[in-house]
Amino acid sequence: METLTATQKQYLEQPKERISGSEAIVRCLLAEGVNVLYGYPGGAIMPVYDELYKYEDKINHVLTRHEQCAAHAAQGYARISGKVGVAIATSGPGATNLVTGIADAQIDSTPIVCITGQVPSHLLGSDAFQETDIVGISTPVTKWNHQVTKATQIPEIIARAFYIAKSGRPGPVLIDITKDAQFEQFDFQYKKCTGVRSYVPVPKTDPSSISDAAALINSAKKPLIIWGQGIILSKAEAELQELVEKAGIPAAWTIMGASALPTSHPLNVGMVGMHGNYAPNVLTNDCDVLIAIGMRFDDRVTGKLDEYATQAKIIHLEIDPAEVDKNIKTDVAVLGDAKQNLIELLPQVDANTHPEWLQKFKDLYEIEYKKVIKNDLHPTKEGLTMGEVLKEINIQTKGEAAIVSDVGQHQMIACRYADFNVTKSNITSGGLGTMGFALPAAIGAKMAVPEREVVAVIGDGGYQMTIQELGTIFQNKLAVKIVVLNNEFLGMVRQWQQLFFEKRYASTEMVNPNFVAIAKGYYIEAKKVTKREDLAATVKEMIDSDGPYFLEVCVEKEGNVFPMVPSGASVSDIRLE
């Protein structure tokens, strides 16, 4: 049961009071426990901003430098706090600029509510100044959206938005509110939404599916667990660890599931997928029972579908029925909330160990270590590697930092080599792969957990897509630590060009600016490292800093990320070089 704050109680189910639609919007947010939101003002949303000005002691509006970044900041806030993130923008370009962040939130199951202003209702459909059909545009990338044209609709629609965004499989919701509805006066009262007709956020679990899953697990000789973000979203980390330890099952993770089980756990066998670890990828095609929990068999995880785990019985624990049998045919589907289903499954699972099976993972890890990991973390060549930068961050943060990564080579290196000893520590753009995600997402993450170290790990390409958010960091005095791994290339695209396009580096080499000077222009402490002997001391200085810090590390220009499953190949065809 949700514990209400004093502010929430103040605005929940109070006697009716005649106020404007714009004030109602702010009061609805307060009733939902929102104390921070991210946005950018404009004409069609100005009445709401006027009310935010009056309530600035209760709700903190963070002025991002671009609306897309408002959505990403809301994502970062939601991912690390477990709460609903909120972004706000005006009509037209303000609203359309949110769409990339909304699409990112949709595919990565992130609960955010986006509120957009709209032209007055009598101008709808007239191609008025800054009018766009944002409801139509955002329909494919939202869990739900709605246009409000009357002030009386505001409380019910906002209550429903928050309920839909955070219930079941979370996702983004957009509410578009016409300007006249913001000005209109009405008798306001707010009640939280506890259900929506025909919407079943958590499907009912069939008890026989639990028993069938337990029977398969108990009979397995070579079981493998692959878990995804569903573990984190359902707060099932303890139950996952109990299952892994009780049944002695090696467990691997998708990038969205990273940190649900500590990296150092002896049964954590690493990451699956295109740049995942050698052992869990190869042995996916050797296990006899594959237990998938809160993951969706994305193509970057499965590789060639008709050669994926064809020898195994598949158990799929999943909250979204649409994901079951979508890509991989299951033998036992356990619908429902992961935490509750694991609680029911655990008593039926026998205590077990699988020493010979686990030894296979250890043997393959040694092969990967000698061919890949050793060279990434303990290089003998002159150029700095991305891996050794992550290793130094691990040392200085004791593996307790929240790592917010962008998209590209550095993302795969961060996911592979960061020590995740605390849950909700890997904040990245998984399904959409949005370059420019990390810097604004780190803003939201740091504001959600100011007591934690938040380190944004970014490539030189993605960094320049949202570099303007240094202004947001400076203005809000946020102690975000920013690490740009600069190889002067769009590294992941260049790697593909090297391996599959005969080194035709078309439009991937970057001529970069003076990153340190730009950071200092925003009054952020900044340094550049080009030599290995300077790395440890500078990373320590960054982590010890009380304020924001920018660190540029010049890494080898043509370093590649291995292992790698080539596009369209089987996971067992993973390449080590």
Side-chain angles (χ1 to χ4, degrees):
M1 184 124 181
E2 183 182 359
T3 303
L4 300 177
T5 65
T7 299
Q8 284 180 276
K9 291 176 182 176
Q10 181 181 349
Y11 295 104
L12 272 171
E13 300 193 20
Q14 294 297 307
K16 288 185 178 180
E17 183 180 355
R18 196 160 187 82
I19 60 174
S20 68
S22 55
E23 184 171 7
I25 292 167
V26 177
R27 289 198 186 186
C28 290
L29 295 176
L30 290 168
E32 288 292 345
V34 176
N35 54 23
V36 61
L37 71 160
Y38 304 90
Y40 206 96
I45 198 68
M46 205 173 296
V48 175
Y49 272 84
D50 192 51
E51 293 300 332
L52 285 170
Y53 181 82
K54 300 172 188 176
Y55 283 83
E56 62 182 4
D57 60 327
K58 289 185 169 61
I59 191 165
N60 178 20
H61 175 270
V62 177
L63 175 65
T64 57
R65 281 9 184 205
H66 192 284
E67 292 91 350
Q68 177 183 334
C69 296
H72 290 326
Q75 285 180 273
Y77 179 91
R79 288 273 294 278
I80 204 165
S81 69
K83 301 176 181 178
V84 178
V86 181
I88 184 170
T90 193
S91 63
T96 58
N97 281 345
L98 289 173
V99 171
T100 297
I102 293 170
D104 196 289
Q106 172 81 337
I107 202 165
D108 281 350
S109 304
T110 305
I112 63 172
V113 169
C114 295
I115 296 172
T116 55
Q118 185 55 275
V119 300
S121 54
H122 72 278
L123 291 177
L124 289 173
S126 70
D127 293 332
F129 177 67
Q130 291 192 333
E131 180 195 1
T132 56
D133 178 12
I134 193 60
V135 171
I137 290 169
S138 65
T139 293
V141 294
T142 49
K143 189 176 177 183
W144 182 68
N145 65 14
H146 190 88
Q147 186 173 76
V148 172
T149 58
K150 297 288 184 183
T152 53
Q153 302 168 329
I154 288 171
E156 179 185 355
I157 296 303
I158 290 183
R160 184 177 296 188
F162 275 85
Y163 174 73
I164 291 174
K166 66 186 176 184
S167 59
R169 181 181 179 177
V173 171
L174 180 135
I175 310 168
D176 190 44
I177 307 175
T178 60
K179 195 168 184 179
D180 52 322
Q182 297 171 47
F183 279 122
E184 189 180 4
Q185 297 279 318
F186 76 111
D187 293 330
F188 170 80
Q189 190 176 47
Y190 193 76
K191 294 181 180 179
K192 287 179 76 73
C193 179
T194 57
V196 176
R197 185 180 177 183
S198 78
Y199 169 56
V200 182
V202 181
K204 188 176 181 181
T205 303
D206 180 357
S208 66
S209 67
I210 300 279
S211 302
D212 291 345
L216 276 179
I217 293 170
N218 292 337
S219 65
K221 303 299 181 186
K222 298 187 291 184
L224 173 63
I225 289 172
I226 300 179
W227 85 83
Q229 190 187 197
I231 291 291
I232 295 171
L233 293 173
S234 66
K235 302 177 182 177
E237 294 92 340
E239 289 75 18
L240 171 68
Q241 184 164 336
E242 187 177 348
L243 174 63
V244 166
E245 292 173 353
K246 182 179 182 181
I249 303 175
W253 39 273
T254 70
I255 65 169
M256 297 299 291
S259 80
L261 190 69
T263 306
S264 58
H265 195 284
L267 290 170
N268 184 336
V269 294
M271 181 172 76
V272 292
M274 181 171 281
H275 291 287
N277 292 101
Y278 189 52
N281 272 305
V282 169
L283 295 177
T284 293
N285 282 355
D286 190 28
C287 68
D288 57 1
V289 175
L290 178 61
I291 307 112
I293 311 174
M295 55 86 78
R296 58 188 180 86
F297 291 110
D298 174 71
D299 65 295
R300 286 296 174 101
V301 166
T302 64
K304 192 175 183 181
L305 280 171
D306 58 9
E307 294 182 13
Y308 182 81
T310 56
Q311 79 295 334
K313 298 288 186 182
I314 308 291
I315 301 168
H316 194 181
L317 281 72
E318 175 59 46
I319 197 169
D320 186 353
E323 295 295 348
V324 175
D325 294 334
K326 186 177 80 173
N327 295 326
I328 297 295
K329 179 67 178 174
T330 59
D331 294 278
V332 177
V334 183
L335 291 174
D337 176 73
K339 183 181 183 76
Q340 187 58 42
N341 285 341
L342 287 174
I343 288 172
E344 294 178 18
L345 178 66
L346 278 163
Q348 300 183 46
V349 171
D350 297 338
N352 207 341
T353 58
H354 302 278
E356 293 181 5
W357 175 232
L358 285 169
Q359 189 59 46
K360 286 192 174 186
F361 286 87
K362 294 175 183 176
D363 293 344
L364 291 179
Y365 173 81
E366 287 303 316
I367 293 172
E368 182 183 352
Y369 182 83
K370 290 174 183 176
K371 289 199 170 186
V372 178
I373 298 171
K374 183 179 179 181
N375 295 327
D376 283 345
L377 300 185
H378 307 284
T380 55
K381 51 193 170 184
E382 183 178 342
L384 281 160
T385 67
M386 295 185 184
E388 61 185 315
V389 179
L390 266 294
K391 182 186 73 171
E392 194 58 46
I393 292 171
N394 289 336
I395 292 169
Q396 299 299 337
T397 64
K398 301 179 175 63
E400 295 177 354
I403 304 296
V404 186
S405 57
D406 212 80
V407 172
Q409 286 183 314
H410 68 278
Q411 176 191 34
M412 296 297 102
I413 291 292
C415 290
R416 283 176 54 79
Y417 293 125
D419 287 341
F420 298 120
N421 295 328
V422 182
T423 189
K424 297 178 182 174
S425 290
N426 182 42
I427 313 299
T428 194
S429 172
L432 197 64
T434 305
M435 291 179 67
F437 171 87
L439 193 61
I443 290 170
K446 185 62 179 179
M447 295 187 74
V449 287
E451 73 283 357
R452 287 191 66 184
E453 199 69 73
V454 174
V455 181
V457 179
I458 317 177
D460 49 311
Y463 180 59
Q464 293 179 83
M465 287 192 170
T466 53
I467 194 171
Q468 74 280 348
E469 297 309 316
L470 292 175
T472 308
I473 290 170
F474 162 63
Q475 182 170 342
N476 291 274
K477 299 179 174 60
L478 301 173
V480 174
K481 309 302 166 61
I482 306 156
V483 179
V484 166
L485 302 178
N486 183 4
N487 57 12
E488 298 181 336
F489 266 112
L490 299 177
M492 186 61 82
V493 183
R494 185 213 56 77
Q495 177 170 333
W496 279 56
Q497 289 172 333
Q498 176 186 335
L499 297 176
F500 308 116
F501 293 88
E502 300 176 333
K503 291 191 176 182
R504 292 188 293 275
Y505 294 160
S507 301
T508 47
E509 188 163 10
M510 303 285 288
V511 178
N512 289 320
N514 186 331
F515 288 129
V516 169
I518 291 171
K520 287 184 176 180
Y522 283 100
Y523 306 99
I524 293 172
E525 191 173 358
K527 282 196 175 177
K528 180 177 182 176
V529 169
T530 60
K531 297 179 181 178
R532 182 167 290 121
E533 56 265 31
D534 298 329
L535 180 63
T538 310
V539 172
K540 184 178 188 306
E541 179 181 307
M542 174 183 74
I543 298 302
D544 289 345
S545 171
D546 292 333
Y549 193 108
F550 173 83
L551 172 60
E552 176 188 0
V553 183
C554 295
V555 296
E556 54 184 344
K557 285 195 67 170
E558 296 187 55
N560 289 329
V561 182
F562 286 106
M564 180 181 184
V565 179
S567 181
S570 166
V571 290
S572 53
D573 293 331
I574 188 168
R575 294 173 53 171
L576 289 172
E577 56 189 10

